[in-house]
Amino acid sequence: MELDQLDRRLVSVVPHQRQLLWQEMEFYAFVHFTVNTYTGREWGDGSEEESIFNPTAFDAAQWVDAVKSAGMKALILTCKHHDGFCLWPSKYTGHTVAKSPFRNGRGDIVREVADACRAGGIRFGVYLSPWDRNNPSYGYGKAYDDYFVNQLTELLTNYGPICSVWLDGACGEGKNGKKQLYDWSRYYETVRRLQPEACLHICGPDVRWCGNEAGDTRPSEWSVVPKRTSETEKIASQSQQSDDDLFRQRKITAGDQDLGSRAVLENEPDLIWYPAEVDTSIRPGWFYHPEEDDKVRSLNELLHIYYNSVGGNACLLLNIPPAPNGLFHPNDVRRLQELGNTLRDTFAVNLLEGASLTASCQEEAHGVNDVRQKGYDRFYKAPDGIRQAEITIQFPEPTEVSHVVLQENICLSQRIESFELRDEADRLLYRGTTVGYKRIAAFPKTKLQTLRVLITDSRLCPTLSFMGVY
Ligand code: FUL
């Protein structure tokens, strides 16, 4: 196929509005909380007594403050994990907070967290496990689908706007040894109808699981991928049922390293916009275990994961498990604060502000100075058919630089295939592949008078909606 023809087909694939909103969340929290918090397990078996759930110091504002201190913009709560215990008083089962000592059986964790998120100005999302090891209807087809859809309906109508519905593929046996064949299309239809702005994550068509739970990413993360990817990811995660796979700490294998190069997409009939999410925990487990209090990930580890995910065209979903008292442990709180402080310091001053900018080519309506502010209304664009461009940044005086942020205008798809950063003497500072929503290029601090961004290949022509130098 002609390159032009192929590129035009690839760049015709663009995000939905709900995916644009999600992408801007960038970094957000996962909170795993259920009866496991009191039994020390990672997967409950559904036989846990409701009475063990007793978070005596629970304060959703403490979670939201800690999450915001790290710079996170949303929180996704495990409203029901595989054990089937509901953090809200669902009308459709007795296995809920209503039977626990929490607020004397009149509490609703989902309500308090949703309200605290809204009050704190961050978005709220729900995790609802299709695998339910408690409910007797599990494994009986429509009876369980009805139950699941009823629960989705409660969560999506009673708690205000929901940004995300996180659907895990785990599908083990229920109480009676039976497995359920999930009616995904019915679940999706329910979400679309009740919360059209919510993204369906993982076992859903809006946000793709990056393929591991260790915080590992691909060097080239493409958001345009074959449509079948949404199917394979789902099946892959459904088959992950053994306890050995508990944390799925495997690395992305060479086999699934390339999901979206031109060579891979060329012969694919159906393409979709399906961007990646990296989900990982701040501790070894998804749930709280006191013996892991000194195993909270280090600042450097978290920064590494952040740069590879948020800085590598993915969003980062970082789990923080509350302790039995219902609060985040001080070690986790401290680490989140440190992470936020470091990121805020690093990106405090955009050195582009005092610098001049020129480009080797640009469309008249989309000049290079349009990269100075965020957003997709104004952006830089080269003319169609020009796949390479050079942008030169001239500082008023030699300036120390260690980070460059590039963002494409993804409303026009993901186009940049490769780029380099060089100085005035043509010394290579950084070589990268994809940019997409955001690439953070980090390199050793260097004093520069001139910084050159060389886009060495792109689909049809490159765009940039934002550039930052720090
Ligand atoms: C997995 C679950 O089995 C884990 O317990 C955890 O919730 C993780 C995010 O997804 O599939």
Side-chain angles (χ1 to χ4, degrees):
M1 201 191 283
E2 279 275 326
L3 184 59
D4 247 48
Q5 209 185 331
L6 172 64
D7 279 359
R8 279 184 200 279
R9 189 165 79 86
L10 304 187
V11 304
S12 72
V13 184
V14 295
H16 188 278
Q17 179 63 22
R18 68 171 76 90
Q19 291 171 308
L20 284 174
L21 288 174
W22 161 80
Q23 193 92 55
E24 276 166 22
M25 284 163 30
E26 294 191 358
F27 179 28
Y28 43 96
F30 219 174
V31 177
H32 275 66
F33 193 33
T34 182
V35 288
N36 296 344
T37 310
Y38 302 87
T39 59
R41 302 182 68 170
E42 277 288 317
W43 286 359
D45 64 12
S47 68
E48 297 81 6
E49 291 290 332
E50 294 85 18
S51 59
I52 62 176
F53 186 82
N54 192 15
T56 46
F58 171 70
D59 176 10
Q62 188 247 9
W63 298 5
V64 171
D65 286 347
V67 158
K68 286 173 66 178
S69 79
M72 296 194 245
K73 300 199 187 97
L75 186 159
I76 300 179
L77 174 67
T78 56
C79 300
K80 177 184 86 167
H81 202 252
H82 309 330
D83 52 74
F85 179 75
C86 300
L87 295 182
W88 80 104
S90 173
K91 280 200 307 222
Y92 301 97
T93 173
H95 197 48
T96 78
V97 276
K99 277 208 193 149
S100 78
F102 173 63
R103 309 253 189 274
N104 295 318
R106 282 187 293 277
D108 183 342
I109 299 273
V110 178
R111 162 99 45 232
E112 294 193 35
V113 176
D115 288 351
C117 286
R118 205 163 314 119
I122 61 172
R123 300 180 80 193
F124 175 64
V126 299
Y127 168 115
L128 186 69
S129 170
W131 185 22
D132 188 318
R133 303 177 86 178
N134 175 271
N135 199 267
S137 69
Y138 183 87
Y140 289 100
K142 183 166 177 305
Y144 178 75
D145 289 325
D146 288 346
Y147 176 71
F148 190 77
V149 165
N150 281 334
Q151 294 204 315
L152 261 182
T153 305
E154 288 183 312
L155 292 174
L156 302 183
T157 47
N158 297 335
Y159 298 93
I162 301 291
C163 63
S164 300
V165 176
W166 211 96
L167 294 175
D168 183 69
C171 175
E173 294 179 352
K175 257 184 166 171
N176 42 28
K178 283 183 181 288
K179 280 192 190 178
Q180 172 80 17
L181 208 63
Y182 304 130
D183 190 349
W184 294 112
S185 6
R186 197 174 153 205
Y187 306 167
Y188 301 166
E189 182 279 322
T190 308
V191 177
R192 291 293 193 245
R193 184 165 38 83
L194 299 175
Q195 295 274 347
E197 278 204 348
C199 276
L200 282 153
H201 296 231
I202 316 309
C203 284
D206 301 322
V207 175
R208 165 169 64 85
W209 185 45
C210 69
N212 74 109
E213 293 177 345
D216 189 29
T217 46
R218 295 173 182 80
S220 307
E221 203 58 81
W222 286 102
S223 297
V224 177
V225 296
K227 189 151 187 217
R228 63 184 167 79
T229 312
S230 55
E231 296 306 313
T232 15
E233 292 285 287
K234 191 184 302 172
I235 293 158
S237 62
Q238 279 201 355
S239 63
Q240 312 254 347
Q241 298 154 19
S242 76
D243 275 11
D244 301 343
D245 276 330
L246 207 60
F247 303 125
R248 285 192 250 145
Q249 292 283 18
R250 76 180 175 95
K251 295 274 173 192
I252 293 163
T253 58
D256 49 24
Q257 198 63 255
D258 177 6
L259 299 180
S261 68
R262 282 182 180 122
V264 163
L265 299 187
E266 195 168 24
N267 300 311
E268 287 290 339
D270 284 322
L271 304 176
I272 53 164
W273 185 268
Y274 198 31
E277 176 184 81
V278 171
D279 64 321
T280 194
S281 185
I282 198 166
R283 292 161 172 251
W286 289 104
F287 288 94
Y288 178 86
H289 309 290
E291 62 276 20
E292 292 177 356
D293 282 349
D294 58 355
K295 294 203 175 67
V296 176
R297 284 191 197 264
S298 70
L299 177 60
N300 274 340
E301 225 180 320
L302 290 174
L303 284 169
H304 178 80
I305 294 172
Y306 179 90
Y307 282 121
N308 283 336
S309 53
V310 178
N313 192 36
C315 281
L316 174 57
L317 174 59
L318 179 68
N319 179 65
I320 309 105
N325 66 2
L327 296 174
F328 288 169
H329 188 275
N331 291 357
D332 306 56
V333 172
R334 199 173 320 115
R335 196 49 43 79
L336 292 174
Q337 177 80 59
E338 285 168 12
L339 177 61
N341 289 346
T342 307
L343 293 173
R344 279 184 291 274
D345 285 352
T346 309
F347 300 104
V349 181
N350 184 356
L351 300 168
L352 211 57
E353 269 156 37
S356 75
L357 269 173
T358 48
S360 59
C361 60
Q362 62 189 38
E363 272 190 351
E364 215 176 286
H366 301 294
V368 72
N369 282 297
D370 284 344
V371 303
R372 290 182 185 275
Q373 65 287 308
K374 296 196 175 161
Y376 301 125
D377 293 342
R378 294 173 64 187
F379 58 93
Y380 165 77
K381 183 176 178 295
D384 280 6
I386 310 275
R387 292 181 167 77
Q388 302 187 336
E390 178 167 344
I391 294 172
T392 309
I393 301 151
Q394 196 80 43
F395 299 108
E397 60 204 45
T399 303
E400 278 193 336
V401 174
S402 59
H403 294 81
V404 173
V405 173
L406 299 175
Q407 296 193 256
E408 289 185 65
N409 178 358
I410 54 170
C411 299
L412 299 177
S413 195
Q414 185 179 353
R415 298 172 174 233
I416 297 174
E417 289 263 349
S418 57
F419 70 97
E420 292 173 357
L421 303 177
R422 291 183 178 272
D423 70 358
E424 54 268 36
D426 212 31
R427 224 164 6 124
L428 183 71
L429 302 167
Y430 185 93
R431 176 175 280 140
T433 55
T434 47
V435 173
Y437 169 74
K438 186 184 266 193
R439 161 76 69 171
I440 305 176
F443 48 89
K445 204 178 266 180
T446 314
K447 208 168 220 178
L448 299 169
Q449 180 83 55
T450 305
L451 170 66
R452 295 154 61 221
V453 179
L454 293 100
I455 299 170
T456 45
D457 188 19
S458 38
R459 296 176 179 177
L460 202 59
C461 69
T463 74
L464 283 177
S465 68
F466 177 76
M467 197 152 94
V469 179
Y470 308 91

